[in-house]
Amino acid sequence: MTTLALTLKEELKAARQHEMAAYAGHGRPERLTTALRQCVDRILSQAWHDYGMPERSALVAVGGYGRGELFPYSDVDVLILLPAPPNAQEQAQLEEIVQLFWDLGLEIGHSIRTIDECLSESAADITVQTSLLEARLVTGSRGLFNQLVVKCREAMDPQAFFLAKTLELQQRHAKYEDTAYSLEPNCKESPGGLRDLQVILWVAKAAQLGDSWRKLAERGLITPTEARQLTQKERAFKDIRIRLHIHAKRREDRLVFDVQTPIAQSLGFKNTETRRASEYLMQRYYWAAKAVTQLNTILLQNIEAQLFPQPTCPLAINPRFNEVNGLIDIVRDELFTDTPSAMLEVFLLMEQRSSLRGMTARTLRALWHARFGIDAGFRRDPANRALFLSILQAPEGITHALRRMNQLSILGRYLPNFRRIVGQMQHDLFHVYTVDQHILMVARNLRRFTMSEHAHEYPFCSQLMANFAQPWLLYIAALFHDIAKGRGGDHSKLGMDDARRFCREHALSDADTALVVFLVEHHLSMSHVAQKQDMSDPDVISDFAALVKDERHLTALYLLTVADIRGTSPKVWNAWKGKLLEDLYRMTLRVLGGEAPSADRELKNRQDEALKTLRLYGLPEHAHDALWQQLDVAYFLRHDASDIAWQTRMLYNRVNADAPVVKCRLAPIGEGLQVTVFIKDQPDLFMRICSYFERKNFSILDAKIHTTRNGYALDTFLVTEPNFANNYRDIINLIEHELSRSLSSDDALPPPRKGRLSRLSRTFPFTPTVDLRPDERGQYYLLSVSASDRNGLLYSIASVLAKYRVNLHTAKILTLGERVEDVFLVDGPVLQHARSQIQLERELLDALHA
């Protein structure tokens, strides 16, 4: 590195550090970004002149640097503009100056072009055209730079540019799932972030409508109040982005969990008894992103109207609303102020008229500003209550209506407790949406059960919903099931009170009110029974039937439960959980229909069904006898008829096999593999099997552990792995061969690996718990463990159980995103003594903490 480069680098570094340190005192984003830009301008200009660059060329800032703002660790995008293509000597000099810029410690993005090359590149690439739109002369020939500006302006097609940038915006929003409510948003690229604001200014500048919020207000595209709001939101996002850069000491635009707390603390937020500082920060962020999204919609519509003027031929809908070019429009600006109920009526009309694809900018603006008129008096008005129920009862458009109402803050104004959870985060390691977005996702899932085009997704749910009267009651339950999150206390109980009040205020019948209140209070009960209790126990089914009381309550709870689990995270739902819930529904329905729970009858039904399947495969009539004589009632009650038939086919002639038998198939539920192990029982068998699956990075979804009368273990596992669908035949062969060999070996097992916790689990640690208690009959013990998920966790648990010679009878493996909640049915002499029980629990806790 040359002396010049070293000198300039140190000078630039000192100046940048000084400005960033000063930011902690003044906290003004524009002052810092401008100061950083000026620092870089000064150093680049000095390097340019000291290096003796030709006077006829120019150094031009483009992109964000051209816009005149530079974040602490942003790229510095420059264009070296030439009057003509360089010769060999000039090319070498250009390469040297670019290398000098890099030597200064800057992240340089550079291009070297003539004006004609700039025009050619911008015509082919909208990104280049956008970059040149913000070009700014740093140093060099102003005449050459002015020629570039004029040529670019002449070449600009504002209409084509608008269409390209709005399409780009839609693609970017789709990449971020069209929501600003990601728990780890990108403050620059996510919907409602800085990039959305930049798009507006780009298309406005291209159309020569203005290049600032103040100028757009002067042109009447937004109001002065909206201009101030956009300025405030932009400043807030810039502040967050600056703090992210300074905290990470690199370019970082994502508000990932790791940095949310330090950023929140730097902004003065503090932890309270019920909420973290980061939650206050993120709720403030989501409210800002929501406002930006709304104002951007208004602005884009207004700019589009300027660029693509269309004749307006209002079609009267009623005395209050018109249809204008497929959008609903208010007949006068003061409508929502004069007739507040119209703030709900507009959403009902959009549900009723499929030709309406949105609202005009005038309607959006009026609605946005009039939302504060939804007060206690508005909410008490019987006409408004009827309108709100009509929105939920509409035959179509419900999901869109609820999302629009939330986006425009109408839903939160009408349901004040809903407003409290807008943008509220959930740090339970399995929800990936904010509370309000999760609620709307659950409502969407319920709605999809009613739509024939989605019937292939969950056919049984669609079938039940088709025969369910008043599905809108389920939408009310969805709105209230998590509405009390974050208040402290049991959110199901608190939400139940809110739901009861709503139902009474909206004149629902006693029966309908009771159903909604029941669903909110017990929205977690069905998943708890299906995933944590032994459904082969008739008493479990009887107790659950007593809870739901009738088929209507059972069906409603089943539909809400499926929609709720699906609405938490893509990682949480799987086919196995779906089967457990459906099995519980069907068994409970039989009890509600008058069939008394009977282990004997259930055993007979499953055996008969399994025998029918075996006949299809041509097995001799009594081929199953030798195996079935070694199996007790518990085996038949814990396995489906299809599983019994499959295992019988595999094992009927190997009842006394000396070598391990390992058989594997695609799971009948349509997800994962079913693995059956038949081997002479041994104390560490479960541990050895878990060790194999851990080494292969397979996830165990379920385990059924059974010991035959002749001393053989007959264990069945449901396992999954991301690549099963691509090469399941090879994986099946591999498991059957390798697991058999592993079980035949006497080699000592390796100690459990200390798998790494996920970033989410590290940031929001979950305190592991171990609960060991006898079951109601005192025959077995129920061992419940909860912990943050990691590779090898089940193997660690199995190792402790093997050490204490605890016998495992069944295992329910429940993974909730980044958290596991496993339940084991166990027994063993060690459990008969309080002191040894405590030692076992301590070692299990140590294993969960590892």
Side-chain angles (χ1 to χ4, degrees), residues 179-194:
T179 179
Y181 294 88
S182 163
L183 295 189
E184 295 183 303
N186 185 309
C187 68
K188 179 181 177 185
E189 300 288 345
S190 288
L194 278 171

Side-chain angles (χ1 to χ4, degrees), residues 457-458 461 531 558 561-579 581 671 815 817:
E457 296 176 346
Y458 296 89
C461 292
Q531 297 173 11
Y558 172 74
T561 301
V562 174
D564 189 15
I565 297 176
R566 287 184 62 204
T568 55
S569 163
K571 295 180 180 180
V572 170
W573 178 263
N574 57 45
W576 174 240
K577 290 176 184 173
K579 182 181 185 305
L581 290 170
E671 181 179 306
T815 304

